[in-house]
Amino acid sequence: MYRIGIDVGGTNTDAVIIDENLALVHGVKVPTSEDIQTGIEQALHKVMAESKIDPTTISHAMLGTTQCTNAIVERKKLSKVGVIRLGYPATGSVKPYTAWPQDMVATLGENYELLHGGYEYDGQTLSELDEDEVKSALKKWQGKIESLAIVGVFSSLKNDQEFQVAEWSKEILGENIPVSCSATIGSVGLIERENATILNAALNKVMSMTSNGFERALKSEGIQSAEVYLCQNDGTLMSIEFARQFPILTIACGPTNSIRGASYLAQLKNAIVLDVGGTTSDLGVLTDGFPRESSLAVDVGGIRTNFRMPDIISIGLGGGSIVREKDGQVTVGPDSVGYKITTEAKVFGGDQITATDIAVRLGKAEVGDASLVADISQEFAEKAYQRIKEMTEEAIDKMKTSSGDVDLVLVGGGAIIIPEDLKGVAKAYYNEHGGVANAIGASIAQISGQYEQIYIYTKMARKDSLVDAQAKATQQAILAGAIKETIELVEVEETPLAYHPENATRLRVKVVGKME
């Protein structure tokens, strides 16, 4: 039996086939299409045709996609959202959508209500939930909204009010209006958690279109019985039903797929990964085989959120980065020819000097026609190559947590432009299949479950709290498609809440398991 992994990038859509021993059988790249869908279909068709594998032997299909990120950045295909915040009157001074870009607010429709409800930081009721008030707000939105976000003050401590409102919404708005509850999405911190929940609700239509399109593409290739998964941004997978419920978890899954694929190709558990695309390079850190998570609130399309995201930095350096000289200074990027590299770069007969042309001119790479870059002067090429080296070294330095030298894994189609002798790097690993590392990462991933809550250790002992959190994380992993017997604990993070008199601690637990 075989698995297919597909990863949609800004420049290329990659597809790989992997056998049951997780060995790479075949990999292809095709340009990402304007509508995404066509690119997925072409990559799928090409990898199936070239590998000549019987479609009925494909048991699993995984998709890593930038669709949700692009929808937020471009403000396209988003749902009209109704926002209910349970926290009146205590939170009235800061309304929902405060500090959001105005065009995004207009796209989602400024439908929000501040209603009674919510909890204090110690679990006591802030104000009682008012059934009539909630139902009246929901009735007002009938036919006006396509998705609902419910946010309660300190719902990460007690979530029953949010779930009660979700029940009432099903009665009034019907089963077809999806509901996002903040207790299942964000972390502690009301505004950032609310923002993440609104974004999750807004992405519902995008995820439906993406997942339905992927299923159609598989069927058109005769792949009828494969289990279908989408990639999450922690380097693991979720079932298609789970993805439709939590589309926000796909944001930034591209770089995490590359990090997981890099770990597989280099056989390393701890390293820095540099994924060089056509336009940008993403750097991430492998810690025990998984991407390191960001501890900061993360901006997504200009909106501050606090749901889990990988610790990634992006620099404007890629295979298609345009190289220029101005006042004796040679610059590389940040603008790029992107997916047009095969027509616009000099080595392919174009007239733009790109980072790829520099690597070919200096004999560091073999692509295109080297005779077409012979007119680039040696001095200019060396200055540009030095600039690429400096940009890479600066970025690696930002990701390091100690002064020692680190291992570096180079992946992505543009990795040929990166010098191998870099300051602060012990050894650079380069693999011939690194160009499709993101699709490999998608196809080898496990299923994860994560649970986060504030526990008060004077009311529930630490040991019991850990057991409870692990059980709930395990439940999430099973919902996402993991086999119960294979699930194991991989991460525990405890953050004491300094202002709380009763030893309250934010506990975050992560488990992973194998897919069915």
Side-chain angles (χ1 to χ4, degrees):
M1 300 302 276
Y2 298 93
R3 297 179 183 186
I4 278 186
I6 293 180
D7 187 272
V8 182
T11 307
N12 289 306
T13 296
D14 302 345
V16 297
I17 292 181
I18 279 185
D19 68 18
E20 57 217 12
N21 301 316
L22 301 187
L24 181 64
V25 175
H26 192 61
V28 301
K29 270 183 174 315
V30 303
T32 295
S33 59
E34 196 74 36
D35 64 344
I36 307 278
Q37 182 62 40
T38 311
I40 292 174
E41 287 170 356
Q42 286 172 345
L44 193 57
H45 182 70
K46 189 175 181 189
V47 81
M48 290 302 290
E50 289 182 8
S51 64
K52 298 186 171 56
I53 280 172
D54 178 356
T56 60
T57 61
I58 303 289
S59 61
H60 297 85
M62 297 79 164
L63 176 68
T65 176
T66 54
Q67 281 282 64
C68 287
T69 314
N70 296 352
I72 291 169
V73 172
E74 295 169 11
R75 323 294 202 221
K76 286 178 181 169
K77 308 188 190 93
L78 298 168
S79 301
K80 294 285 181 197
V81 180
V83 184
I84 286 181
R85 186 199 289 171
L86 307 171
Y88 183 80
T91 66
S93 57
V94 182
K95 304 277 194 296
Y97 294 117
T98 297
W100 279 52
Q102 204 46 50
D103 60 336
M104 187 65 162
V105 180
T107 304
L108 303 190
E110 210 167 342
N111 297 304
Y112 66 81
E113 292 286 343
L114 261 65
L115 308 178
H116 288 89
Y119 290 99
E120 299 277 9
Y121 66 86
D122 58 358
Q124 292 181 53
T125 304
L126 185 64
S127 64
E128 292 294 341
L129 202 56
D130 182 332
E131 184 175 349
D132 293 339
E133 183 184 54
V134 172
K135 287 186 170 175
S136 146
L138 291 168
K139 280 174 184 158
K140 195 169 72 177
W141 288 339
Q142 281 175 323
K144 285 188 184 174
I145 63 168
E146 298 165 304
S147 194
L148 180 67
I150 304 168
V151 187
V153 178
F154 277 104
S155 62
S156 44
L157 190 63
K158 289 178 84 171
N159 54 24
D160 56 320
Q161 289 184 348
E162 285 190 359
F163 293 154
Q164 179 59 69
V165 174
E167 285 297 312
W168 292 334
S169 82
K170 294 276 183 248
E171 282 173 38
I172 291 165
L173 299 173
E175 294 287 334
N176 292 333
I177 299 291
V179 178
S180 297
C181 290
S182 80
T184 62
I185 291 161
S187 177
V188 182
L190 176 68
I191 300 302
E192 287 89 353
R193 173 161 46 87
E194 179 173 80
N195 290 350
T197 309
I198 295 170
L199 285 179
N200 190 70
L203 289 167
N204 187 268
K205 270 198 308 203
V206 179
M207 182 48 70
S208 272
M209 283 157 52
T210 304
S211 54
N212 293 346
F214 186 42
E215 287 183 314
R216 277 198 303 274
L218 290 167
K219 284 197 169 66
S220 70
E221 286 300 322
I223 301 167
Q224 303 282 356
S225 54
E227 294 280 336
V228 182
Y229 294 93
L230 270 92
C231 298
Q232 302 192 62
N233 61 11
D234 64 349
T236 62
L237 298 167
M238 54 184 164
S239 65
I240 209 157
E241 290 75 26
F242 197 79
R244 285 172 182 148
Q245 207 177 333
F246 299 108
I248 199 166
L249 296 180
T250 66
I251 288 176
C253 71
T256 56
N257 282 341
S258 296
I259 293 170
R260 291 280 291 147
S263 173
Y264 169 85
L265 290 170
Q267 296 297 300
L268 291 175
K269 292 268 187 197
N270 297 285
I272 286 181
V273 176
L274 177 59
D275 178 16
V276 191
T279 305
T280 58
S281 292
D282 295 317
L283 282 98
V285 180
L286 260 175
T287 308
D288 293 329
F290 282 91
R292 183 172 77 193
E293 199 169 303
S294 175
S295 55
L296 304 172
V298 179
D299 263 29
V300 180
I303 299 141
R304 192 175 166 85
T305 67
N306 67 355
F307 72 105
R308 61 125 209 267
M309 287 280 272
D311 188 6
I312 301 285
I313 63 168
S314 292
I315 56 172
L317 173 66
S321 292
I322 298 170
V323 183
R324 300 184 181 86
E325 185 165 16
K326 192 180 178 188
D327 305 329
Q329 293 289 315
V330 174
T331 61
V332 181
D335 51 340
S336 164
V337 296
Y339 63 86
K340 295 179 181 168
I341 189 166
T342 52
T343 54
E344 295 199 3
K346 278 180 79 82
V347 283
F348 297 114
D351 54 11
Q352 291 276 19
I353 300 179
T354 66
T356 301
D357 296 315
I358 298 298
V360 173
R361 171 65 181 83
L362 294 174
K364 310 285 185 187
E366 292 176 23
V367 292
D369 182 350
S371 68
L372 297 174
V373 290
D375 61 335
I376 298 174
S377 79
Q378 180 79 14
E379 186 192 1
F380 177 80
E382 281 174 2
K383 275 187 185 173
Y385 204 59
Q386 183 59 31
R387 182 71 197 118
I388 290 169
K389 186 173 190 282
E390 285 164 10
M391 289 168 78
T392 309
E393 287 170 348
E394 279 168 28
I396 290 167
D397 205 45
K398 282 181 187 168
M399 296 307 277
K400 285 164 68 172
T401 51
S402 67
S403 59
D405 289 356
V406 292
D407 287 330
L408 177 72
V409 187
L410 290 163
V411 295
I416 53 170
I417 70 166
I418 304 295
E420 285 185 17
D421 55 324
L422 296 162
K423 264 195 309 216
V425 172
K427 186 176 178 191
Y429 291 82
Y430 185 83
N431 187 289
E432 60 177 323
H433 301 304
V436 289
N438 42 9
I440 292 171
S443 59
I444 61 161
Q446 294 167 290
I447 310 271
S448 74
Q450 188 162 294
Y451 187 75
E452 182 176 315
Q453 191 183 312
I454 299 170
Y455 287 90
I456 298 170
Y457 288 168
T458 53
K459 293 183 180 173
M460 184 190 269
R462 177 177 178 273
K463 189 176 75 167
D464 297 335
S465 301
L466 282 165
V467 168
D468 181 65
Q470 188 175 343
K472 285 169 176 164
T474 300
Q475 199 51 45
Q476 285 276 40
I478 293 165
L479 273 175
I483 302 168
K484 188 177 181 181
E485 296 71 39
T486 66
I487 294 172
E488 57 184 348
L489 181 67
V490 291
E491 203 177 308
V492 175
E493 184 187 291
E494 291 178 275
T495 313
L497 303 186
Y499 54 78
H500 198 286
E502 292 188 86
N503 199 8
T505 299
R506 180 169 70 89
L507 186 58
R508 188 171 66 81
V509 166
K510 181 175 171 181
V511 298
V512 297
K514 291 181 179 163
M515 64 182 78
E516 290 175 26

